Coordinates of all heavy atoms in Angstrom, one line a residue:
A5 N 54.2 4.1 32.8 CA 53.8 5.5 32.8 C 52.4 5.6 32.2 O 52.2 5.1 31.1 CB 54.8 6.3 32.0
C6 N 51.5 6.2 32.9 CA 50.2 6.4 32.4 C 50.2 7.4 31.3 O 50.6 8.5 31.5 CB 49.3 6.9 33.6 SG 47.6 7.2 33.0
P7 N 49.6 7.1 30.1 CA 49.6 8.0 29.0 C 48.7 9.2 29.2 O 48.8 10.2 28.5 CB 49.2 7.2 27.8 CG 48.6 5.9 28.3 CD 49.1 5.8 29.7
A8 N 47.7 9.1 30.2 CA 46.8 10.2 30.4 C 47.4 11.2 31.4 O 47.4 12.4 31.1 CB 45.5 9.6 30.9
C9 N 47.9 10.7 32.5 CA 48.4 11.7 33.6 C 49.9 11.7 33.6 O 50.4 12.7 34.2 CB 47.8 11.3 34.9 SG 48.4 9.8 35.6
G10 N 50.6 10.8 33.0 CA 52.0 10.8 33.0 C 52.7 10.2 34.3 O 53.9 10.1 34.4
K11 N 51.8 9.8 35.3 CA 52.4 9.3 36.5 C 52.8 7.8 36.4 O 52.2 7.1 35.6 CB 51.4 9.5 37.7 CG 51.1 10.9 38.0 CD 50.0 11.0 39.1 CE 49.7 12.4 39.4 NZ 48.5 12.5 40.3
L12 N 53.7 7.4 37.2 CA 54.1 6.0 37.2 C 53.1 5.2 38.1 O 52.7 5.7 39.1 CB 55.5 5.8 37.7 CG 56.6 6.4 36.8 CD1 58.0 6.3 37.5 CD2 56.7 5.8 35.5
F13 N 52.8 4.0 37.7 CA 51.9 3.2 38.5 C 52.3 1.7 38.3 O 52.9 1.3 37.3 CB 50.4 3.4 38.1 CG 50.1 2.9 36.7 CD1 49.5 1.6 36.6 CD2 50.4 3.6 35.6 CE1 49.2 1.1 35.3 CE2 50.1 3.1 34.3 CZ 49.5 1.8 34.2
A23 N 47.6 -0.4 30.7 CA 48.3 0.8 30.1 C 48.1 2.1 30.9 O 48.9 2.9 31.0 CB 47.9 1.0 28.7
Y24 N 46.9 2.2 31.5 CA 46.5 3.5 32.1 C 46.4 3.2 33.6 O 46.0 2.1 34.0 CB 45.1 4.0 31.7 CG 45.2 4.5 30.2 CD1 45.2 3.6 29.2 CD2 45.2 5.9 30.0 CE1 45.2 4.1 27.9 CE2 45.2 6.4 28.7 CZ 45.2 5.5 27.6 OH 45.3 6.0 26.4
C25 N 46.7 4.2 34.5 CA 46.6 4.0 35.9 C 45.1 3.8 36.3 O 44.2 4.0 35.4 CB 47.2 5.1 36.7 SG 46.3 6.7 36.7
S26 N 44.8 3.5 37.5 CA 43.4 3.2 37.9 C 42.6 4.4 38.3 O 41.4 4.2 38.7 CB 43.5 2.2 39.1 OG 44.1 1.0 38.7
S27 N 43.2 5.6 38.2 CA 42.4 6.8 38.7 C 41.1 6.9 37.7 O 41.2 6.5 36.6 CB 43.2 8.0 38.6 OG 43.3 8.5 37.3
G29 N 39.7 9.5 36.4 CA 39.9 10.4 35.3 C 40.6 9.7 34.2 O 40.3 9.9 33.0
C30 N 41.7 8.9 34.5 CA 42.5 8.2 33.5 C 41.7 7.1 32.9 O 41.9 6.8 31.7 CB 43.8 7.8 34.1 SG 44.9 9.1 34.6
Q31 N 40.9 6.4 33.6 CA 40.1 5.3 33.1 C 39.0 5.9 32.1 O 38.8 5.4 31.1 CB 39.4 4.5 34.2 CG 40.4 3.6 34.9 CD 41.1 2.6 34.0 OE1 40.4 1.9 33.2 NE2 42.4 2.6 34.0
Ligands
ZN201 ZN1 46.8 8.2 35.0

Side-chain angles (χ1 to χ4, degrees):
C6 174
C9 68
K11 294 178 183 171
L12 295 176
F13 69 97
Y24 290 77
C25 76
S26 299
S27 80
C30 293
Q31 289 299 309

